[in-house]
Amino acid sequence: MRGGSIRVALVHDYLVATGGAERVLLSLHRLFPDAPIYTSMYRPKTTFPEFRDLDVRTLWPDRLPLDARNYRPMVAAYAMAFEGLDLAGYDLVLSDASGFAKSAGSAAHRRFCYCYTPPRFIWPCGATSDQVGAVERVGRTLMRPWLRRLDRRAAARVDRFAVTSRLVQGRVREYYGRDAVVVNPPVETHRFRADLERSDHLLVVGRLAPYRRFDEAVRAATALGRRMVVAGSGPDEARLRALAGPTVSFRGRVSDAELVDLYGRARALVVPGEEDWGLAALEANASGTPVIAAAVGGSLETVVDGHTGVLYPPGTPGALEAAITRFESLEFEPGRLRDHALGFSELEFHRKLMSLVEETVEAA
């Protein structure tokens, strides 16, 4: 059995952004090119343009007057919409979800969930970048018991879970009582170059939110007098700029082409916060660039201390400065770093996921 020999429906929480989950969904569609994509809300202008050429089918929340800035408070609507999506006639419903998409497909033959994490807004799954007001916080608190019951019920109906990392595997076991197989997300290694001329800057990449702990990186670079480039935007930007010394520069949100250049010319990528998986570290390695990361979360699964980068104890004063100094005493060969990243290629992702999908369908 291969991807074209069974009827597959792909289900995604919402298509409104250009993040890692949306990249994984595009990869899933390359594995199942005939599969339609069901989603609660689709905003073509704020997600990847490739989706415009695909069969995207929206649910009733798509008609609500929401956009990428204000869609999150309507979580109860998304939950109910997916609950009512039976998808009869499909051999397999494959959801990629951190929300309620996994509840779709009550009449389907088999249901498979590729889980990024249980929903952060109802389970204690680490910090989040969401900025919510008092009214929304109260609403979420009041709805949380009902949403947890709904989420557990949806998880119980899933035939097979795959997850992005061992960290998420533990969360699925704790909150859903379910076993899950780790299938690391694909790294688009072909997008990155390891042959660019190196600069002397350290790099941090991502949404500038407090939970990312970028303030530690900015402080360390300032204290050591090391050049650092900060690529990204977000609610913590003003505070980070106030902390930064003259060696730290801010690029704001960058294009994919600019990011490739920054990765390929950096001395090292700095990852000071807890990541569910750690895609940025592997993108850096694919660019021949080592990583300096806190030894927590997904970085423990993507960074090999002394070989693909340097790990340091999180939350310890001066630990990042010491890690930067240690990094500068080591040598890293770009080709070996890229070889490490190639082990997480899309081909490997497809091979592992398809094996699990076949087992799930054939076990019916």
Side-chain angles (χ1 to χ4, degrees), residues 48-284:
F48 292 113
E50 291 90 334
F51 287 111
R52 298 176 188 176
D53 298 323
L54 306 184
D55 181 6
V56 177
R57 306 179 186 182
T58 59
L59 310 185
W60 62 262
D62 188 62
R63 298 190 291 273
L64 299 174
L66 304 171
D67 58 29
R69 297 166 296 179
N70 64 359
Y71 69 96
R72 292 187 184 275
M74 299 301 295
V75 60
Y78 310 138
M80 289 186 291
F82 284 122
E83 278 282 310
L85 185 61
D86 64 26
L87 299 178
Y90 286 99
D91 299 303
L92 179 75
V93 172
L94 199 166
S95 59
D96 70 311
S98 59
F100 288 93
K102 62 181 170 291
S103 67
S106 58
H109 190 53
R110 272 296 196 241
R111 284 189 285 184
F112 187 106
C113 178
Y114 187 66
C115 183
Y116 302 110
T117 185
R120 297 181 189 278
F121 49 86
I122 60 175
W123 302 108
C125 291
T128 175
S129 61
D130 288 0
Q131 302 295 305
V132 299
V135 173
E136 185 176 342
R137 279 197 299 272
V138 171
R140 286 186 177 187
T141 300
L142 293 174
M143 287 194 301
R144 189 168 291 137
W146 173 70
L147 291 173
R148 284 186 174 184
R149 288 194 297 271
L150 198 67
D151 193 44
R152 280 201 183 105
R153 187 172 69 189
R157 293 197 300 254
V158 171
D159 294 292
R160 191 74 174 266
F161 273 100
V163 291
T164 59
S165 67
R166 293 193 299 270
L167 180 68
V168 177
Q169 184 184 48
R171 293 172 182 170
V172 167
R173 183 181 299 115
E174 180 177 0
Y175 302 128
Y176 299 153
R178 299 292 304 276
D179 292 328
V181 179
V182 175
V183 180
N184 302 133
V187 181
E188 296 177 327
T189 52
H190 64 278
R191 294 175 49 223
F192 302 100
R193 297 180 57 186
D195 59 346
L196 298 177
E197 184 178 348
R198 297 286 158 179
S199 179
D200 64 346
H201 68 267
L202 302 171
L203 177 67
V204 293
V205 173
R207 178 170 167 76
L208 305 187
Y211 82 100
R212 305 299 293 270
R213 310 298 293 270
F214 288 157
D215 56 331
E216 294 183 7
V218 168
R219 286 193 177 99
T222 299
L224 294 172
R226 302 298 192 269
R227 284 191 62 220
M228 174 172 282
V229 174
V230 179
S233 60
D236 208 27
E237 183 170 350
R239 185 175 73 97
L240 294 176
R241 286 182 178 273
L243 293 172
T247 61
V248 180
S249 61
F250 291 79
R251 291 288 186 89
R253 186 174 180 178
V254 298
S255 67
D256 283 353
E258 291 171 318
L259 184 60
V260 167
D261 190 73
L262 286 171
Y263 272 138
R265 299 189 188 281
R267 292 182 69 192
L269 174 74
V270 180
V271 184
E274 180 179 270
E275 304 287 334
D276 287 346
W277 161 228
L279 177 62
L282 291 169
E283 290 179 341

Side-chain angles (χ1 to χ4, degrees), residues 305-342:
D305 187 57
H307 295 276
T308 68
V310 169
L311 293 171
Y312 66 91
T316 304
L320 179 50
E321 289 93 325
I324 292 172
T325 302
R326 179 188 168 213
F327 158 78
E328 292 171 340
S329 71
L330 301 174
E331 293 186 6
F332 298 90
E333 203 281 306
R336 290 184 179 179
L337 298 176
R338 183 166 175 81
D339 286 344
H340 173 69
L342 289 173

Side-chain angles (χ1 to χ4, degrees), residues 15-32:
L15 273 176
V16 298
T18 54
E22 289 73 28
R23 289 191 186 278
V24 171
L25 178 59
L26 288 171
S27 181
L28 291 173
H29 194 274
R30 287 190 286 272
L31 184 59
F32 299 102

